[in-house]
Amino acid sequence: MTITNTLFNLGDLDHSLNVMAERQYPQNFPHQDLWTKTDAIIKWISVLERFQELYPDNGVKVVDLGCARGCVPHIIDSWGYDVTGVDTPVCGGRLDHDCEGSNVTMVNSNAFDWFPTVEDESIDVFIDLCAYAHFCGPSGVCPDGEQQFTKIFREINRCLKPGGHIIISSDVNMNTDVGEFMRPSAIIALAKQQGLSLVGRWTNRKKNLFKVPNFSYLNVCRLTFVKNA
């Protein structure tokens, strides 16, 4: 299995749209609007595919940090996994969703209020879809870059079982190492400082890159980290 960590290009978008249509995700896991937004589609499909690569059999405990109304945790739940979604309206999130029959445990909490309730080395997989950059205290969004990334990676490392993963698909700004959206190399360095190793290597694509609609300075990347056993 070859794990790739890279910026998405337009070919990745075409692939994601095809997978979405073939698996009838919008019909089986409805959402009021995000299945119509290309940035959500490419993030969702990329995390789902990476999860299936790493965990082809069920039996692991999965947490979606900053899940809001996203469909990814409910799709993974339908595959037979134990899934928890964490978010709170206090920070602008939402826990309601349109995925009927889902068994996902929805937790109404700020991430940093929820982490202290979690036992050490009790989670197999964290997934995050462009949420972790926004985590802060009760006030909500707090784009202070390095401080927030350090806090979130420290807690993820504590909660992950040895050999456990965090799969991230997020907006990134390739022109800065600070702030809410920073270049992947800076994120990778901060994760490493907290004991999380990149799985595979980083490949910096430069051609035909996917841009977040209405935010031409933002690309989208996928990163996969592991807690060393």
Side-chain angles (χ1 to χ4, degrees):
M1 175 173 52
T2 301
I3 298 298
T4 58
N5 302 281
T6 191
L7 297 172
F8 293 120
N9 61 25
L10 297 179
D12 294 315
L13 175 59
D14 290 339
H15 169 76
S16 297
L17 290 168
N18 288 334
V19 171
M20 178 189 73
E22 290 171 1
R23 299 196 177 186
Q24 297 185 316
Y25 281 144
Q27 293 78 19
N28 296 326
F29 302 92
H31 191 283
Q32 64 181 18
D33 63 350
L34 288 184
W35 285 121
T36 67
K37 297 182 182 298
T38 54
D39 55 322
I41 294 168
I42 203 168
K43 291 168 189 170
W44 288 8
I45 298 299
S46 70
V47 166
L48 289 168
E49 290 193 322
R50 176 53 45 80
F51 181 86
Q52 287 190 302
E53 287 176 333
L54 294 171
Y55 297 94
D57 301 312
N58 60 23
V60 297
K61 187 171 183 179
V62 185
V63 175
D64 185 343
L65 288 173
C67 63
R69 297 183 70 234
C71 297
V72 168
H74 309 291
I75 295 173
I76 294 176
D77 165 75
S78 76
W79 296 338
Y81 295 81
D82 178 2
V83 186
T84 297
V86 181
D87 212 327
T88 176
V90 174
C91 295
R94 296 181 63 171
L95 290 178
D96 59 315
H97 58 87
D98 301 320
C99 301
E100 295 183 7
S102 173
N103 294 311
V104 174
T105 300
M106 306 296 282
V107 177
N108 184 344
S109 178
N110 173 277
F112 292 117
D113 294 331
W114 173 77
F115 273 123
T117 71
V118 181
E119 295 182 1
D120 292 357
E121 299 187 345
S122 61
I123 307 297
D124 294 285
V125 192
F126 282 97
I127 59 175
D128 187 287
L129 295 113
C130 207
Y132 68 132
H134 305 300
F135 291 158
C136 191
S139 62
V141 175
C142 186
D144 56 0
E146 182 175 349
Q147 179 182 353
Q148 295 307 110
F149 283 81
T150 297
K151 288 169 62 179
I152 198 73
F153 286 138
R154 180 186 302 128
E155 284 299 298
I156 286 171
N157 184 58
R158 179 185 67 80
C159 296
L160 274 178
K161 296 178 182 178
H165 295 85
I166 173 169
I167 307 168
I168 296 169
S169 190
S170 181
D171 297 341
V172 290
N173 185 339
M174 297 301 292
N175 297 315
T176 182
D177 289 340
V178 298
E180 185 176 7
F181 301 112
M182 60 180 69
R183 76 181 85 227
S185 58
I187 299 170
I188 293 168
L190 292 172
K192 184 177 180 180
Q193 290 173 11
Q194 301 306 317
L196 298 169
S197 299
L198 189 70
V199 181
R201 61 174 184 158
W202 170 253
T203 301
N204 187 13
R205 288 173 170 168
K206 297 182 179 180
K207 295 182 179 180
N208 300 318
L209 295 180
F210 173 81
K211 297 282 189 179
V212 177
N214 302 316
F215 296 90
S216 60
Y217 62 93
L218 292 179
N219 298 110
V220 178
C221 79
R222 178 175 59 188
L223 299 169
T224 305
F225 296 101
V226 65
K227 177 177 179 174
N228 296 327

